[in-house]
Amino acid sequence: MSSSVLATAVSVSPVFRQQLEEVRARYFSRNPDLWPVFRDPAMARIIDVRKSHTPPAERLGIYPDGPALLGQLRAEDHVPDESLAPGALHERLVFAAALSKAWEDPCSVENVVTMPCDPAIHGAMIGALANPNLVYREYSEMAEELERTVVRQIANLVGYDPEEATGIFTQGGTFCNLYGYLFGIRKTMPESLHLGLEYGQDYRMINSQGGHYSNTTNLSLLGVNLAKKTIRIQVTDDHDIDLEDLESQLTACFRLGCVVPTIMLTMGTTDTFGVDRVKPVHDLSQRLCKRFGVTTPPHIHVDAAVGWPLIFFLDYDFDANPLEIDGLTLEGLRANVDRFRELRYADSFTVDFQKWGYVPYTSSLVMVKHRDSMKALEHDPENFSYFEKDIQGQTHLQSTIECSRGAAGLFGAYSAMQYLGKRGYRIMIANGLQNANYLRQRLSETKGACVIAPKNHGPSVAFRLYDPARVKDPVAELARDKELSADPAWRRRIQQHNAYHREVFLRRGKRGLYTNWVQFATHTNYDETDKWEPIPGEKAVFFNPLTDPCHIDAFLARLHG
Ligand SMILES: *Cc1c(COP(=O)(O)O)cnc(C)c1O
């Protein structure tokens, strides 16, 4: 499908364009007439500076007295003795915010980060103002109801029973995934609550080689032996989990009476948007549990930190296509959305509002299909001596990893979803996907360029560049790069290619689009001993609401440096 589909031109319909401009003007413009919080003098100055869209390396130079302010900031070692009168702008405070990474620059396509929308900033500020602490109802009061409301709305979007489902806002997607591992550990090995993991019960954690690095940091934090107690399942050419390998590994575990606490899947990998299937994994788990008499099945957690907003399309009318999303994009979107229909088979999943949800940091939610999973995490009540006993049982207090939980992210997320609505989200998401497809299509027509995992029509575009003087057919060359071989000639050739692309990337600098270099953009095939190696490349992620095809054209004009 890839080559023929990519040959069709991506075209943005005037109807789509008009809707996009409207969403930009109303929700992404920092317009003080629409969102009066931006009228505050410090805010207004910061917004003004950040609108200049100067490349990162030149921003300090154009800021009035920029280098001097940086010098002052670096020389500031002590807290001032005296108070500062309110009202006066604090120069260095404004400076630091103005010159923090400008996600509003349409060229900012680095990784899975975005500018937050106006209503999310407005909402997060309201949350900061009220300052509820979600740890405990007495400290949160109505904010706890709001958390439940957001959880119910996401449950309904994804197809969880909202009565049965629960969830909590926590510290980033990494923590959401940590909960995913912990649910499995506490459900399958309840003694671990007091005895830890190494009390005699043999177990293996299962995740995918394409998973996010938080898999490693979380498992290491939990005290899991990464080499001996973790099975990383192979991935396909499209970077999703290889179901055959998963079946053989899970069978081997169960056959030996080895517990599998958690199977960690990913829907939307960070670099190439591989999307794992969930229903086949759920069905496989059930089938094997039955066959081997396993009474507590593995907890299936889906890391949907990046991909989750596709659930806004689960009830989109793809046939009528009222938003007039471009045909090629619609086709890829429909295929991805079909996979996200299976998200409801997950026992829990990660939602990062702070990524494709256009909400300021940090705003992450771990969604849980059955409250029982949360119950399995409960510690003994005597540990929580300074909270009222009779309130404890009604909250997640005894189950959360953290104590204080801030609510700015919750208020930001709620506000974003209320103001943008499904419609607003769909327009922003479709815009990103149209941009991504446009870049994929143009790269496929460009000398020396090869798109990685071209069938993954997500917002991330990873590619490799070859010297056009040496490589006539970059697609065939990437296939050769993937043929892992002990032959020194193979290694020499791939190293030359890597060096060419790296050199071009550095020479070009951050111009046109501010892309990233990734060490593991794709992988070689597996050799007969299952060995493989990462292959580096370059990537752009199209979350940015302000990026247009003209920015992509400017980037392509100097692609090879
Ligand atoms: C970003 C990301 C994470 C980690 O989320 P944080 O919010 O940065 O902690 C986990 N998984 C995937 C797939 C991600 O892209």
Side-chain angles (χ1 to χ4, degrees):
M1 136 177 166
S2 59
S3 55
S4 65
V5 165
L6 285 170
T8 330
V10 175
S11 72
V12 180
S13 99
V15 171
F16 184 88
R17 182 87 216 169
Q18 193 213 328
Q19 301 175 99
L20 173 65
E21 290 302 347
E22 187 194 312
V23 177
R24 282 176 175 172
R26 298 177 75 183
Y27 306 113
F28 289 92
S29 64
R30 313 289 188 250
N31 180 349
D33 294 334
L34 303 178
W35 303 95
V37 289
F38 298 130
R39 194 159 281 130
D40 167 84
M43 294 270 225
R45 246 185 65 197
I46 292 164
I47 290 164
D48 191 50
V49 171
R50 293 171 67 92
K51 272 198 178 131
S52 77
H53 302 169
T54 312
E58 296 159 32
R59 296 183 70 220
L60 183 64
I62 61 133
Y63 194 90
D65 294 327
L69 281 163
L70 177 60
Q72 289 170 21
L73 198 60
R74 286 183 172 160
E76 219 181 285
D77 296 332
H78 300 282
V79 175
D81 288 324
E82 296 303 324
S83 313
L84 186 66
L89 280 193
H90 190 293
E91 285 296 337
R92 294 179 302 285
L93 183 66
V94 171
F95 166 76
L99 290 198
S100 293
K101 172 71 192 174
W103 299 111
E104 303 92 313
D105 185 333
C107 302
S108 292
V109 291
E110 294 100 331
N111 217 338
V112 287
V113 189
T114 180
M115 76 180 278
C117 62
D118 302 329
I121 296 171
H122 170 78
M125 288 172 75
I126 287 174
L129 178 69
N131 201 33
N133 186 339
L134 294 168
V135 63
Y136 182 50
R137 183 177 296 172
E138 193 182 347
Y139 310 163
S140 57
E141 295 192 5
M142 206 51 77
E144 192 193 72
E145 287 299 330
L146 192 72
E147 186 177 47
R148 290 179 184 204
T149 301
V150 170
V151 166
R152 273 196 310 279
Q153 293 187 355
I154 298 291
N156 274 317
L157 276 179
V158 81
Y160 276 0
D161 175 356
E163 296 297 313
E164 254 305 301
T166 186
I168 50 168
F169 274 78
T170 184
Q171 186 54 47
T174 298
F175 259 53
C176 296
N177 292 344
L178 179 60
Y179 273 105
Y181 279 120
L182 200 58
F183 290 138
I185 290 171
R186 295 288 189 258
K187 288 196 319 192
T188 59
M189 308 192 292
E191 293 91 334
S192 67
L193 186 74
H194 295 115
L195 302 179
L197 290 172
E198 302 300 331
Y199 64 96
Q201 174 69 69
D202 198 15
Y203 70 92
R204 293 294 181 280
M205 292 293 184
I206 293 187
N207 61 32
S208 145
Q209 286 173 357
H212 185 259
Y213 76 80
S214 56
N215 283 292
T216 306
T217 50
N218 281 333
L219 289 173
S220 164
L221 173 73
L222 287 164
V224 173
N225 182 329
L226 291 171
K228 300 222 160 80
K229 297 269 169 122
T230 304
I231 302 175
R232 306 203 72 188
I233 306 295
Q234 297 185 352
V235 291
T236 70
D237 282 345
D238 301 332
H239 297 187
D240 59 350
I241 199 162
D242 183 328
L243 293 169
E244 267 180 47
D245 189 34
L246 176 64
E247 172 155 5
S248 70
Q249 301 290 350
L250 194 58
T251 306
C253 287
F254 284 174
R255 181 168 279 140
L256 295 170
C258 171
V259 172
V260 176
T262 298
I263 299 174
M264 177 72 63
L265 302 176
T266 310
M267 297 189 89
T269 58
T270 315
D271 296 331
T272 49
F273 211 76
V275 182
D276 291 342
R277 300 275 315 266
V278 190
K279 184 162 190 305
V281 176
H282 168 269
D283 293 352
L284 170 72
S285 170
Q286 300 253 308
R287 178 158 57 79
L288 293 182
C289 281
K290 199 163 165 218
R291 177 170 156 206
F292 292 102
V294 175
T295 47
T296 311
H299 182 95
I300 299 176
H301 182 89
V302 173
D303 178 358
V306 176
W308 73 273
L310 291 185
I311 64 178
F312 288 118
F313 282 95
L314 287 181
D315 61 351
Y316 183 65
D317 186 344
F318 279 90
D319 294 328
N321 187 22
L323 296 178
E324 294 204 12
I325 297 167
D326 146 74
L328 165 65
T329 305
L330 193 72
E331 209 178 304
L333 181 60
R334 193 198 288 251
N336 271 328
V337 168
D338 278 342
R339 292 212 165 180
F340 275 82
R341 265 180 233 299
E342 297 183 358
L343 184 50
R344 68 194 165 91
Y345 290 97
D347 295 308
S348 57
F349 63 94
T350 297
V351 170
D352 262 4
F353 286 99
Q354 61 199 19
K355 288 178 176 167
W356 219 0
Y358 302 106
V359 177
Y361 290 111
T362 54
S363 183
S364 300
L365 167 68
V366 57
M367 283 293 299
V368 183
K369 185 174 194 170
H370 295 293
R371 320 176 153 263
D372 292 356
S373 297
M374 213 68 210
K375 272 232 120 15
L377 266 49
E378 278 186 3
H379 284 270
D380 307 327
E382 51 268 29
N383 290 311
F384 304 86
S385 55
Y386 53 77
F387 298 103
E388 292 279 351
K389 256 214 164 75
D390 50 341
I391 300 188
Q392 286 192 28
Q394 306 157 29
T395 68
H396 293 312
L397 171 69
Q398 296 160 10
S399 304
T400 54
I401 299 171
E402 60 272 74
C403 177
S404 293
R405 285 193 293 125
L410 158 67
F411 277 80
Y414 177 72
S415 180
M417 289 200 293
Q418 292 302 303
Y419 281 98
L420 289 181
K422 280 192 213 170
R423 182 167 182 279
Y425 270 108
R426 286 170 178 168
I427 291 167
M428 301 326 292
I429 290 161
N431 174 53
L433 294 174
Q434 285 178 171
N435 281 330
N437 280 332
Y438 180 70
L439 176 57
R440 272 190 276 266
Q441 179 211 335
R442 290 286 316 272
L443 283 171
S444 70
E445 298 159 354
T446 302
K447 282 200 176 69
C450 177
V451 176
I452 290 166
K455 282 196 226 157
N456 295 1
H457 285 192
S460 329
V461 181
F463 56 95
R464 267 171 75 77
L465 290 182
Y466 297 95
D467 183 353
R470 297 180 57 216
V471 174
K472 294 293 164 234
D473 183 348
V475 175
E477 197 63 21
L478 177 59
R480 285 177 68 191
D481 286 353
K482 285 185 159 229
E483 295 292 330
L484 180 60
S485 158
D487 182 355
W490 173 83
R491 191 161 303 277
R492 237 181 353 260
R493 215 188 56 244
I494 197 168
Q495 281 171 348
Q496 273 172 1
H497 290 330
N498 295 350
Y500 171 82
H501 189 175
R502 178 76 185 160
E503 209 251 317
V504 162
F505 171 79
L506 291 176
R507 182 151 32 105
R508 190 188 327 119
K510 299 261 179 184
R511 296 208 173 270
L513 292 178
Y514 308 149
T515 53
N516 282 134
W517 184 260
V518 267
Q519 271 315 325
F520 176 17
T522 186
H523 55 94
T524 64
N525 300 330
Y526 300 96
D527 72 8
E528 63 280 1
T529 62
D530 281 349
K531 274 211 276 303
W532 59 282
E533 289 184 22
I535 300 178
E538 187 173 347
K539 82 162 178 184
V541 183
F542 292 94
F543 286 0
N544 193 323
L546 305 184
T547 307
D548 278 320
C550 65
H551 303 110
I552 297 169
D553 290 339
F555 171 73
L556 289 165
R558 28 191 319 164
L559 186 66
H560 285 275

